[in-house]
Amino acid sequence: PHIYTKFDFVTQQVNEKSIVKLLSQPTPNLHHIESHLSLFDEAGNIQLHSPVLNEVLTEVKGRAQSGKESDGRSLIEHFRKAPYGWDGNVTRVALSALFRSSDISIKFEGKDFQNYTQRAVQDALRTLTNFNKTEFIYQDTSLPLQERIEAKKKLDILFSYKGTDTANELSNAIVQNIRELANENKNIAVHCQYAQLPLKDDYKRLRQLCEEITESANVASRVRAFLEHYGE
């Protein structure tokens, strides 16, 4: 206890299968996954004040600022040593939870990923070999509650959104619905071109608007872009 002073932050064995659950379960179910680590609350919000998540996120953030390596292998080894002594699955599950909540992004095989629903993300995080080669990148994605409530309200008005006000779920809903809108716009443009009907500039602007929102750099900027262009 005098050497591994943070060993007791983990009170039970952590299961590797929890990684897949974190990337596949609906938001309301997240608090059941490795509940002894207090990863998520009952509403599906990440609990960054929990001891394990706080330590892991602080380390990833510090490595981003200092330029140190932040691949899976390096992070597992860091938390395996004193003052932690954690099993590798603890670090893997914590990083997967932080990725699910969009507090970090990942880089795997030269590609950046921010959306936990992408198939390549499961390939990167599920197996230890790929996890070791995956880079974990700190994301400043903090969104005040008022902004999240406003985004949820406006998503409901435009697209009948009934999900939660967590940043990641709002972002995913924005991307899904805006892409559907962009596809509808594209189909209309094709039909009009075939029928030799003129298109208003509004149709061209809508396509540009959809790209601006969906291609924003991260979750927070995507939600803010949606709020900024909501009136338009």
Side-chain angles (χ1 to χ4, degrees):
H2 300 293
I3 298 173
Y4 292 95
T5 55
K6 298 181 179 181
F7 181 81
D8 288 339
F9 286 3
V10 183
T11 58
Q12 299 178 30
Q13 186 174 2
V14 173
N15 195 322
E16 182 183 31
K17 293 180 180 178
S18 294
I19 296 169
V20 175
K21 292 180 181 178
L22 284 167
L23 300 175
S24 59
Q25 289 290 312
T27 301
N29 294 351
L30 294 177
H31 71 282
H32 294 300
I33 303 171
E34 302 293 351
S35 57
H36 59 101
L37 296 179
S38 300
L39 302 175
F40 294 89
D41 64 18
E42 291 187 2
N45 298 305
I46 194 81
Q47 299 198 101
L48 296 178
H49 60 275
S50 72
V52 169
L53 290 181
N54 181 57
E55 292 290 333
V56 174
L57 184 59
T58 298
E59 181 63 23
V60 174
K61 183 178 180 180
R63 287 173 181 247
Q65 294 170 342
S66 65
K68 288 178 64 178
E69 290 183 341
S70 59
D71 58 276
R73 184 190 302 276
S74 300
L75 289 165
I76 286 175
E77 284 305 310
H78 173 79
F79 288 106
R80 200 187 299 276
K81 299 174 182 176
Y84 304 100
W86 295 348
D87 177 79
N89 285 337
V90 177
T91 305
R92 294 177 64 193
V93 164
L95 287 167
S96 298
L98 290 167
F99 177 73
R100 168 71 189 251
S101 66
S102 298
D103 289 283
I104 60 175
S105 62
I106 66 172
K107 189 170 187 175
F108 177 62
E109 294 184 339
K111 296 180 181 178
D112 295 312
F113 297 97
Q114 296 172 349
N115 190 335
Y116 72 91
T117 63
Q118 293 172 279
R119 176 62 185 271
V121 168
Q122 292 219 3
D123 293 339
L125 301 182
R126 185 174 50 188
T127 63
L128 181 59
T129 303
N130 288 341
F131 186 94
N132 285 337
K133 297 183 289 185
T134 300
E135 185 179 355
F136 296 88
I137 305 161
Y138 175 72
Q139 297 274 98
D140 185 5
T141 60
S142 53
L143 275 172
L145 178 61
Q146 189 56 43
E147 279 187 291
R148 290 189 278 118
I149 291 174
E150 185 181 0
K152 183 177 184 292
K153 178 181 177 181
K154 291 181 173 177
L155 269 170
D156 187 25
I157 292 171
L158 282 182
F159 305 113
S160 299
Y161 173 72
K162 302 303 179 187
T164 70
D165 63 4
T166 58
N168 199 55
E169 195 161 338
L170 288 169
S171 173
N172 287 339
I174 288 169
V175 170
Q176 179 182 345
N177 286 288
I178 293 295
R179 281 180 177 167
E180 288 176 2
L181 191 63
N183 287 334
E184 184 180 348
N185 169 278
K186 182 179 179 181
N187 290 335
I188 289 172
V190 169
H191 286 301
C192 287
Q193 184 178 13
Y194 180 78
Q196 297 183 334
L197 293 172
L199 271 178
K200 284 188 173 184
D201 289 340
D202 290 345
Y203 280 92
K204 298 176 184 177
R205 172 56 184 156
L206 177 60
R207 196 172 310 166
Q208 180 185 358
L209 199 59
C210 290
E211 290 178 1
E212 287 178 16
I213 295 171
T214 57
E215 295 179 10
S216 296
N218 56 48
V219 167
S221 60
R222 200 169 297 127
V223 173
R224 291 188 176 118
F226 170 72
L227 290 172
E228 179 186 348
H229 296 297
Y230 170 78
E232 188 177 0

